Amino acid sequence: MTVGRLSALCTGAGLLFAISHLTGVATTLTVVLGVAAYCTALGAVAIGVRRHRPSARLPWLLVAGGLFGNLGGASTFYVYAVLGIAPPGPGPQDVFFLPAYPLFAAALVLWRVRRGGRDTVAAVDVTIVIAVVGTLAWLTLIMPSSSAPGLSTGQVLIATLYPCGDLLIIAAALRILLSAERPPPALWLIVAGVTSFLITDVGFAVNTVYLGAQPELIVLFSTFNYPAFGLIGAAALHPSMATLDQPAAARSDGQTRARLLLLATALFLAPVAQFVSYLTGATQFVPIYAFLSMVLSALVMTRMWLMLGEQRRLAVTDGLTGLHSRRFFEEALGTATGRRTGVIGVLLVDVDHFKKINDGYGHAAGDAVLRELAHRLSASVRTQDVVARYGGEEFAVLLQEVDTTLARAVAERLRESVAATPMDVGDGVLIPVTVSVGVCTQPVAEGIGDQVMVRADRSLYSAKEHGRNQVVVADALAG
């Protein structure tokens, strides 16, 4: 069954069930159609996991658990509907419905964690949005519905737990949508599905608090549940479901603009809500909005501080290899040569015949060689040493507190680690790679940075002139 047909089946069965209620002709057949929408989505998850074999099955098991919870809750609700009995609140349906929220949220969190990458700024952005949405939800929905006269403790608890569950899912979904990686289609479908659930919950809450719990609106808002199952079922059958736990390509700048628009909207809501409270005479809420504004100001300052740190990191990091940039290396060299005592060493490393690699295997293979070389260089030096991509296929290493013997030993260890094992450039292709290394050691003194680099470069040139795949030390050169 295709993705489109499954989505149509889930959605169509649910809509038929909703229409039957709107027209007042609820029958056993329509109840079966409603349950079929849930069961079809569960079947789609089982088929998708078996067909596409994702490496991480736990998130899909959590999604299935959330679907099963909704199936149990809806089935209980349908039984009451067929019997013509109003479901109690709280009741058995809540025992099924409520666990679905943390299950769906946990699945989204697991996918986010397994996709890797650390984006602390995105986490702060999510906190900003949730702080605003949570405060507004508490003041406009949770507090009015839970403080109505005559409610039991259980009813107050239920009125509070459902919105909190919604906020949990919103936070997990936003953490994915605001990440630096581009979500695959299956993840978009799942987020759209859980968003459909949220529309139902918000509609129910607004209807209960402000519209007198009109039965027609309850049925209307319940129709949003059914596209959710079609979307989640479609996500399970989409081939990209197997990649949900794998790193994805970075987004373009458009995502950054969309994120800033979302943040601007969230930040704008707090003072607007405070002003509305002032105009309507609900001054008891003004201190809450004022406190929210202070929290948001602190979060925005935190975000700016993190972004400045990230910009600094990007400025001194090579985008391809993840090593330090030439700018960082030169700054570190200037700092090292400014000390009063000690000896420093500089290694210049160049890939032998790199142009032949690019010409023979393509630039993607060349990039793979540079990344692997960066890994081997980092593994061959000490933690206090600085490894940088100096330019093109040339790398530089700054050795602190060394002598010529130690610098030569580090350079030889580095050269041997590169030549010992061919490099995998993808598709099972292994390329033997060697490097030439120029070494220079010198006692530190103010302003000797350029001199050290010139001598190391001459050593590198000598290594390449005398056959490559070797180490040449400046002190050993004539003149």
Side-chain angles (χ1 to χ4, degrees):
M1 181 178 293
T2 65
V3 171
R5 288 178 181 176
L6 184 72
S7 303
L9 177 60
C10 296
T11 306
L15 290 177
L16 285 174
F17 177 76
I19 291 170
S20 69
H21 274 281
L22 287 171
T23 57
V25 291
T27 65
T28 302
L29 176 61
T30 56
V31 171
V32 170
L33 288 173
V35 173
Y38 295 87
C39 293
T40 308
L42 277 168
V45 171
I47 293 171
V49 169
R50 182 174 181 180
R51 178 187 298 175
H52 301 298
R53 300 184 181 279
S55 58
R57 297 193 175 190
L58 178 58
W60 285 106
L61 291 176
L62 294 173
V63 169
L67 291 173
F68 182 79
N70 276 275
L71 170 61
S75 300
T76 305
F77 190 84
Y78 296 160
V79 170
Y80 283 113
V82 171
L83 296 176
I85 304 173
Q93 70 278 4
D94 300 309
V95 176
F96 287 101
F97 279 134
L98 285 172
Y101 293 90
L103 289 174
F104 284 137
L108 293 172
V109 169
L110 282 178
W111 277 318
R112 173 69 194 107
V113 171
R114 291 182 66 91
R115 287 169 67 79
R118 294 183 60 185
D119 192 345
T120 310
V121 174
V124 174
D125 291 347
V126 171
T127 304
I128 291 173
V129 175
I130 292 301
V132 174
V133 174
T135 302
L136 294 178
W138 177 64
L139 292 176
T140 60
L141 296 177
I142 299 175
M143 192 168 66
S145 61
S146 61
S147 60
L151 294 182
S152 65
T153 303
Q155 290 172 322
V156 172
L157 184 62
I158 290 298
T160 303
L161 287 178
Y162 278 104
C164 289
D166 291 332
L167 289 173
L168 188 64
I169 291 179
I170 290 173
L174 281 177
R175 187 62 184 86
I176 288 177
L177 296 178
L178 298 184
S179 64
E181 298 81 19
R182 186 185 302 277
L187 201 51
W188 279 112
L189 288 168
I190 291 174
V191 171
V194 296
T195 301
S196 189
F197 283 129
L198 299 179
I199 293 173
T200 298
D201 284 354
V202 173
F204 282 172
V206 171
N207 185 38
T208 300
V209 175
Y210 298 104
L211 303 177
Q214 299 181 32
E216 296 81 4
L217 292 178
I218 293 176
V219 176
L220 176 63
F221 287 124
S222 68
T223 61
F224 285 97
N225 267 335
Y226 301 102
F229 295 104
L231 292 165
I232 293 176
L237 293 180
H238 196 279
S240 66
M241 67 89 74
T243 67
L244 295 187
D245 57 346
Q246 300 174 9
R251 300 172 190 247
S252 64
D253 291 339
Q255 188 266 351
T256 303
R257 291 193 293 269
R259 183 194 293 190
L260 290 176
L261 179 61
L262 176 65
L263 289 177
T265 302
L267 294 171
F268 186 68
L269 285 175
V272 167
Q274 184 174 0
F275 186 64
V276 170
S277 295
Y278 169 76
L279 293 179
T280 58
T283 54
Q284 71 273 22
F285 297 145
V286 171
I288 297 174
Y289 289 125
F291 177 74
L292 174 62
S293 297
M294 288 189 292
V295 171
L296 293 178
S297 298
L299 289 171
V300 169
M301 294 301 297
T302 301
R303 186 182 195 274
M304 293 175 62
W305 179 75
L306 290 171
M307 288 187 66
L308 287 174
E310 180 65 10
Q311 289 175 355
R312 167 63 181 170
R313 186 190 68 81
L314 292 175
V316 297
T317 302
D318 176 62
L320 177 64
T321 63
L323 296 178
H324 294 301
S325 66
R326 178 171 180 165
R327 172 183 172 183
F328 182 92
F329 179 86
E330 291 174 345
E331 290 178 355
L333 179 61
T335 301
T337 57
R339 298 196 308 266
R340 294 183 178 180
T341 60
V343 177
I344 62 168
V346 170
L347 313 183
L348 286 183
V349 183
D350 191 81
V351 182
D352 296 330
H353 303 296
F354 185 72
K355 186 177 185 300
K356 292 183 178 180
I357 296 176
N358 275 335
D359 293 343
Y361 299 94
H363 288 281
D367 289 346
V369 167
L370 295 178
R371 285 191 292 266
E372 176 60 21
L373 178 58
H375 172 72
R376 298 188 189 186
L377 292 181
S378 299
S380 300
V381 300
R382 304 166 302 175
T383 56
Q384 67 266 35
D385 299 326
V386 177
V387 184
R389 185 183 179 194
Y390 203 66
E393 69 272 21
E394 190 172 76
F395 296 80
V397 181
L398 174 62
L399 303 176
Q400 313 259 12
E401 299 297 334
V402 295
D403 54 29
T404 301
T405 301
L406 178 58
R408 181 192 292 273
V410 172
E412 285 290 352
R413 181 169 68 243
L414 184 156
R415 184 194 62 79
E416 291 171 0
S417 72
V418 175
T421 308
M423 296 186 179
D424 187 349
V425 296
D427 298 327
V429 178
L430 299 177
I431 300 178
V433 177
T434 62
V435 294
S436 301
V437 186
V439 182
C440 176
T441 58
Q442 188 163 330
V444 297
E446 189 71 36
I448 67 164
D450 291 341
Q451 180 183 351
V452 172
M453 294 303 299
V454 168
R455 297 181 67 206
D457 188 60
R458 288 176 180 172
S459 301
L460 174 61
Y461 180 78
S462 178
K464 300 184 82 67
E465 284 290 304
H466 290 82
R468 295 182 169 85
N469 189 26
Q470 59 181 285
V471 173
V472 172
V473 181
D475 294 343
L477 295 177

